[in-house]
Amino acid sequence: MRTVGFLLLLLLVIIAARLAGGTAGRVAAEESRKSASEDLAHFIGELEKFELASSRRQQALRDTYVSELQEGGWESLFDAGRIKQDVGLAETSRIVNRAKAALGKFEAGVLASMETSRQQINALEISDRERSTMLSSFDRGAKASHETLALEHRLILEAESVVSLLSSNTSWAVEDDRFVLQDPELRRAIGARFQEMDAIALRQQKIYEGANSDALAR
């Protein structure tokens, strides 16, 4: 009987140990899930704060750039009435130069902002995997920004080429606030440049739409 009693006691001890182990396992699993959930919430919070700060910097730079273009007369660059009064196109050339200066300032600000963003990502208290995810997303945005800047340079250069064509050719006039281009070659050359500017503007719009789509997807 003592043997039976001993075996029964041993069995009860084993069962109790297994039950305790199972409970501990469930507790550990629950704590693991809770920790993972907290880590995800932390990552999302850091990501949202980073994107908000980055977006505000970029928007401030863009607003300043657009304001400087407007103040420099960019919107009236090819206004026929204004050009009619601009002897030798001196003011027209100054408008282009002011636009170049504004773009140079804007580009420097964007590049500095991107470097700040990269440093901030590297300083975040997140896992290496999460950092890699953020950097990949950041690099895609940086690529789009570089392309947009390049297109902006091309746009101003195309506009400058139109001014150069007008400056070096006298076979044009402004009548009833419209350009009249008597020289077919001049008409073709200027038309080609305006078509290129339209294509550049369209490409920029697609980049912006793509960036907005990525933001909404996140």
Side-chain angles (χ1 to χ4, degrees):
M1 288 295 293
R2 283 197 294 271
T3 302
V4 173
F6 175 75
L7 291 176
L8 180 59
L9 179 61
L10 180 60
L11 180 60
L12 290 173
V13 169
I14 293 172
I15 292 173
R18 288 181 178 178
L19 287 174
T23 301
R26 286 194 295 274
V27 170
E30 182 62 29
E31 289 179 349
S32 178
R33 284 193 294 271
K34 182 178 179 182
S35 176
S37 179
E38 289 174 349
D39 288 344
L40 178 60
H42 174 71
F43 171 61
I44 292 174
E46 291 295 319
L47 179 61
E48 289 177 344
K49 286 192 293 185
F50 165 77
E51 289 190 338
L52 179 60
S54 178
S55 176
R56 284 176 173 172
R57 283 198 308 272
Q58 295 291 340
Q59 189 59 52
L61 288 167
R62 188 77 192 175
D63 289 346
T64 299
Y65 174 53
V66 171
S67 178
E68 290 182 354
L69 286 178
Q70 291 173 340
E71 292 173 3
W74 181 255
E75 291 182 343
S76 67
L77 180 64
F78 294 119
D79 180 81
R82 185 197 63 76
I83 286 182
K84 186 176 183 179
Q85 306 301 321
D86 186 13
V87 180
L89 299 181
E91 177 59 21
T92 302
S93 296
R94 283 192 288 270
I95 290 174
V96 172
N97 289 333
R98 286 194 289 266
K100 285 182 177 181
L103 177 55
K105 181 179 175 181
F106 174 58
E107 182 173 33
V110 169
L111 296 179
S113 177
M114 286 194 292
E115 180 58 28
T116 296
S117 294
R118 182 174 289 279
Q119 291 174 358
Q120 289 177 337
I121 292 173
N122 288 325
L124 289 175
E125 294 183 357
I126 54 178
S127 70
D128 290 342
R129 181 178 180 181
E130 291 166 344
R131 195 182 321 282
S132 177
T133 297
M134 285 188 70
L135 285 172
S136 295
S137 177
F138 168 77
D139 286 339
R140 288 194 298 273
K143 181 180 179 181
S145 293
H146 281 296
E147 185 177 358
T148 299
L149 287 169
L151 290 170
E152 202 76 10
H153 277 288
R154 283 178 55 194
L155 189 64
I156 292 178
L157 288 175
E158 290 294 337
E160 185 177 35
S161 69
V162 172
V163 175
S164 296
L165 285 168
L166 293 174
S167 297
S168 62
N169 196 307
T170 58
S171 61
W172 63 274
V174 175
E175 298 177 2
D176 298 326
D177 288 334
R178 293 189 307 108
F179 286 100
V180 178
L181 307 174
Q182 291 96 353
D183 184 354
E185 283 300 311
L186 177 64
R187 189 162 54 246
R188 182 199 61 75
I190 289 180
R193 279 157 178 78
F194 273 106
Q195 286 180 353
E196 182 62 21
M197 283 189 277
D198 287 342
I200 291 171
L202 180 61
R203 176 56 186 157
Q204 286 179 319
Q205 182 61 35
K206 288 183 177 180
I207 292 174
Y208 290 135
E209 289 174 354
N212 289 335
S213 296
D214 288 344
L216 289 173
R218 289 196 294 273

